Amino acid sequence: MLGCSLHVAPSGRLLINRLQIQATLKRHPEILEVPIRRPLVITGLPRTGTTFLHRLLAQDPQFRWLRLWELLQPCPPSEKHMGEPDPRIQAAEKIARQYQTLSPVFSTTHHLQAQLPEEGNQLFEHAFSTMLYELRAHVPSYRDWLRTQTLRSQYHYYRQQLQLLSWHWPGRWLLKAPAHLTYLESLTQVFPDACIIQTHRDPCSVVPSICSLATLVRNIYTEQVDRSAIGKYWLEALSYGYEKGHQYRRQTPSTLICDVNYPDLIQDPIQTVHRIYNFFNDSLDSSTEQNMVNWLDANPQTKHGVHRYSIEQFGLTETEIRQAFPFL
């Protein structure tokens, strides 16, 4: 069945993946004994540098991170040293090229590639509990349902999938998803030793940026895109998510979270990395630092083009945005 689920409709692929995951866990219950120790988890509002930081930290060989092709089809569990190229890699590359064809400027917002580090939202898709659906379509009823959920069981399932992917390919997990910000309580209960990083950026840049991304994604799925509706929807959604994270941090100050400001990250990324490692009592050796420097040299911020957007495009004003984030 290798690779088969990448050639069916998205909903069918998710169901096939789920069945394959459950069958593998049933045949090999020892997978659920695989340890997940001190995962480094990046979160924060979308468009706050989470992807940039994720891919920068991925240059440290100690980390195990999620690749697009693994997310699209986790079974059979991948191995670090495979004798033959995995056909799932080529299938994932085809999907990435399809995105580029359907939306040529999509790469300016988020560059997809089969072997690049990706966030874990797709693993939550196997539980049908993810903000990805909100990105692709106007689904306020789904949003309302999702807000009634703690996602506790979904985080346990997320952990099981990480254990599955660690089975033959171990390492300290480097994970990233903006959605974790809304569910910090469940995240920390399922991963009590998680090392959490929260990125921060001016909401007047964040809001129109995610609105622009949502517009590009929705244009792939429908010809009817209302930018003003997108602006209103995502302003409320981001404000809600940030407030949930802020509330958890206020009520649970003992949770150690390393705060990273976007301007600091962009202006001096290596110094920012040093601060993160120091915060969690980790060490950054000279070889790994050079890996990161080399990656920065090869991946300037405008490598895939300039992402252009404005607040006005989405029927918003700076005053509205700032009023929606009174706690910033």
Side-chain angles (χ1 to χ4, degrees):
M1 293 189 293
L2 185 61
C4 69
S5 73
L6 292 183
H7 301 288
V8 298
S11 58
R13 173 178 60 79
L14 295 174
L15 291 170
I16 291 171
N17 284 350
R18 186 177 176 92
L19 288 171
Q20 290 178 334
I21 291 166
Q22 296 310 111
T24 304
L25 294 177
K26 185 176 181 179
R27 286 196 305 271
H28 299 281
E30 67 271 21
I31 291 173
L32 298 180
E33 301 301 320
V34 173
I36 306 290
R37 297 192 179 98
R38 297 186 70 239
L40 187 60
V41 182
I42 304 169
T43 191
L45 290 177
R47 320 306 298 166
T48 58
T50 56
T51 297
F52 174 76
L53 180 58
H54 188 209
R55 293 179 178 176
L56 176 61
L57 292 174
Q59 307 313 305
D60 187 336
Q62 74 163 305
F63 288 123
R64 170 77 164 93
W65 34 267
L66 295 164
R67 290 146 176 84
L68 177 63
W69 65 272
E70 294 180 293
L71 290 162
L72 292 174
Q73 190 178 351
C75 284
S78 50
E79 299 183 19
K80 188 171 185 178
H81 302 290
M82 294 178 292
E84 297 290 336
D86 194 307
R88 290 174 289 183
I89 298 174
Q90 287 72 40
E93 285 290 7
K94 182 178 180 180
I95 290 174
R97 288 195 299 271
Q98 287 173 342
Y99 263 81
Q100 182 62 30
T101 300
L102 292 169
S103 180
V105 298
F106 182 80
S107 284
T108 67
T109 64
H110 187 88
H111 181 61
L112 288 175
Q113 194 171 313
Q115 294 275 40
L116 287 180
E118 275 298 333
E119 59 190 44
N121 283 328
Q122 286 91 339
L123 296 185
F124 283 90
E125 275 196 291
H126 297 138
F128 298 93
S129 302
T130 171
M131 66 181 292
L132 288 177
Y133 301 126
E134 298 178 68
L135 198 65
R136 297 170 186 151
H138 182 64
V139 283
S141 59
Y142 175 80
R143 172 203 62 196
D144 295 342
W145 169 81
L146 195 62
R147 289 184 182 180
T148 68
Q149 309 300 305
T150 66
L151 296 198
R152 191 77 41 75
S153 64
Q154 289 90 333
Y155 269 93
H156 281 290
Y157 188 44
Y158 174 59
R159 183 186 181 93
Q160 290 177 354
Q161 293 177 80
L162 294 177
Q163 290 174 306
L164 177 85
L165 292 169
S166 298
W167 189 27
H168 299 309
W169 194 342
R172 182 185 176 193
W173 279 104
L174 170 65
L175 304 167
K176 187 271 277 195
H180 292 318
L181 184 62
T182 308
Y183 302 100
L184 285 175
E185 182 176 2
S186 294
L187 171 71
T188 53
Q189 289 185 352
V190 176
F191 301 94
D193 61 349
C195 301
I196 303 172
I197 303 167
Q198 182 177 347
T199 53
H200 302 268
R201 189 182 183 186
D202 186 340
C204 288
S205 295
V206 171
V207 173
S209 183
I210 189 63
C211 289
S212 177
L213 176 60
T215 300
L216 292 172
V217 173
R218 290 189 189 181
N219 273 325
I220 294 174
Y221 295 93
T222 179
E223 295 181 354
Q224 298 181 353
V225 177
D226 184 336
R227 291 192 177 194
S228 293
I230 286 175
K232 182 178 179 181
Y233 187 97
W234 282 101
L235 176 61
E236 191 278 336
L238 296 187
S239 175
Y240 173 85
Y242 193 92
E243 170 57 21
K244 290 284 287 185
H246 182 70
Q247 180 181 16
Y248 172 81
R249 295 190 63 174
R250 189 171 59 245
Q251 294 174 349
T252 319
S254 59
T255 302
L256 290 179
I257 299 179
C258 181
D259 292 298
V260 171
N261 291 318
Y262 181 83
D264 296 336
L265 173 62
I266 297 304
Q267 292 168 16
D268 198 340
I270 296 299
Q271 181 58 38
T272 300
V273 169
H274 274 285
R275 190 168 66 80
I276 291 169
Y277 278 56
N278 289 337
F279 186 91
F280 295 114
N281 294 316
D282 291 319
S283 58
L284 179 66
D285 60 53
S286 58
S287 175
T288 297
E289 181 173 337
Q290 189 58 52
N291 289 345
M292 294 180 179
V293 170
N294 293 342
W295 183 85
L296 289 167
D297 289 341
N299 293 274
Q301 196 172 12
T302 57
K303 180 177 181 178
H304 301 289
V306 179
H307 182 202
R308 302 186 187 282
Y309 51 84
S310 69
I311 294 173
E312 293 74 22
Q313 281 179 291
F314 303 99
L316 299 172
T317 66
E318 181 174 335
T319 299
E320 283 180 278
I321 294 173
R322 299 213 180 278
Q323 287 176 344
F325 294 89
F327 24 81
L328 274 178

